[in-house]
Amino acid sequence: MKDAHYPGRYWHFLGDGRIECDLCPRNCRLHAGQRGACFVRLRVGDQMVLTAYGRSSGFCIDPIEKKPLNHFYPGSSVLSFGTAGCNLACKFCQNWDISKSREMETLAAKAAPDAIAKAAAANGCKSVAFTYNDPVIFAEYAMDVADACHERGIKTVAVTAGYMGAEARRDFYAKMDAANVDLKAFTDDFYATLTGAHLQPVLETLQYLKHETDVWLEITTLLIPGKNDSSDEIRAETQWIANELGRDVPLHFTAFHPDYKMSDVPPTPPSTLARARAIAISEGLRYVYTGNVHDTDGATTYCPVCRAPLIVRDWHDIEHYHLTQGGRCSECSTPIAGRFGRFDRQFGRRRIPIRIGR
């Protein structure tokens, strides 16, 4: 097991003696002993270290649909874990107890990369997901885990806000098989006010993933009442996705629940998600889903040509599966965008915590 103070990459010296972190667009500039905004990257002497290497907030086996990924080996199970900290400052964070944690001691679960890959294989998981907090900030750990997983035939999944520097982005996604990127809104004002970040770097990550990698990409937008749920903004977002990324990229609209610093904002009504989905479909997107609400129609994958229901979902349960093994519509043979394989049975909506030793 490597030491928790793992030598970090993606930084350089400034003329005034500070170290500048190049991992994400925040470009934190640190004196000795200072931590970056993500909290887990620390300057020790004349180097940057990652203090969360090999340390997790816990491990759990989930359905892949929970990430959410609806077109990446549907029905399969995924071993999920995260660390602590985050490089965004979302006032509406749904995992704030993990992502905003400043107590490294809370990371009780410790595991080397190979131990995680072994656990995934032993539990029949198709993939390992870096999630709960943003894997951007523990990139070195995630990439080492990805290498160990690929040696055992296990896929890797990044669940991320996509806020990453160009060099780190290239290295990181070279080791990922799928990603769900949170496109939190489609205005820079929202990003600046509610996340402490900016929109353009996220759009650049999305374009990079779609056009310069083989990573399977899906997008999630959490709709918050009065903040990013206007029809004009939803239309602008979906037009951009259709024009810049293509109509086959699945888009998930999910419901906000009051939490963290926005407990006074009401939850998203199902009608808002239905409206957003209708707008996205009208703009030409072929695979649009709703989440965090019970909506079988909004969770079902339809053939974009004959409209046959191909994967009928009830929450994270698959009730009917009508894709061929090669990922084609069983009615009209239209190829469906995604990564598919043999479907014998599903993992279902279970959530199984597990322990991984050193």
Side-chain angles (χ1 to χ4, degrees), residues 211-264:
H211 300 300
E212 300 187 48
T213 78
D214 292 324
V215 176
W216 175 250
L217 171 65
E218 302 192 23
I219 298 171
T220 296
T221 298
L222 181 76
L223 294 179
I224 305 174
K227 306 297 183 183
N228 64 348
D229 63 340
S230 73
S231 294
D232 286 345
E233 182 170 341
I234 293 166
R235 184 167 288 105
E237 175 183 330
T238 54
Q239 287 176 346
W240 184 89
I241 292 171
N243 293 334
E244 298 295 329
L245 306 180
R247 297 190 296 161
D248 283 340
V249 175
L251 173 60
H252 303 255
F253 290 113
T254 57
F256 164 83
H257 299 291
D259 211 337
Y260 196 43
K261 296 182 179 180
M262 293 180 64
S263 59
D264 58 335

Side-chain angles (χ1 to χ4, degrees), residues 114-263:
D114 193 56
I116 296 172
K118 286 180 179 178
N123 285 279
C125 296
K126 182 75 175 179
S127 56
V128 167
F130 312 108
T131 182
Y132 304 143
N133 69 322
D134 203 304
V136 166
I137 67 170
F138 60 95
E140 295 88 349
Y141 185 31
M143 290 190 289
D144 285 352
V145 173
D147 286 340
C149 286
H150 289 152
E151 289 177 2
R152 295 178 177 274
I154 305 296
K155 306 293 186 182
T156 53
V157 173
V159 181
T160 174
Y163 207 59
M164 201 169 198
E167 181 186 358
R169 181 170 58 212
R170 182 181 65 246
D171 294 347
F172 182 78
Y173 286 110
K175 299 180 184 293
M176 298 297 135
D177 297 294
N180 185 293
V181 177
D182 287 331
L183 180 53
K184 296 179 182 293
F186 207 66
T187 67
D188 198 61
D189 180 67
F190 178 101
Y191 267 87
T193 304
L194 296 180
T195 77
H198 294 283
L199 172 62
Q200 186 58 36
V202 181
L203 300 183
E204 291 170 3
T205 292
L206 290 169
Q207 290 171 313
Y208 175 80
L209 283 168
K210 181 60 182 178
H211 300 300
E212 300 187 48
T213 78
D214 292 324
V215 176
W216 175 250
L217 171 65
E218 302 192 23
I219 298 171
T220 296
T221 298
L222 181 76
L223 294 179
I224 305 174
K227 306 297 183 183
N228 64 348
D229 63 340
S230 73
S231 294
D232 286 345
E233 182 170 341
I234 293 166
R235 184 167 288 105
E237 175 183 330
T238 54
Q239 287 176 346
W240 184 89
I241 292 171
N243 293 334
E244 298 295 329
L245 306 180
R247 297 190 296 161
D248 283 340
V249 175
L251 173 60
H252 303 255
F253 290 113
T254 57
F256 164 83
H257 299 291
D259 211 337
Y260 196 43
K261 296 182 179 180
M262 293 180 64
S263 59

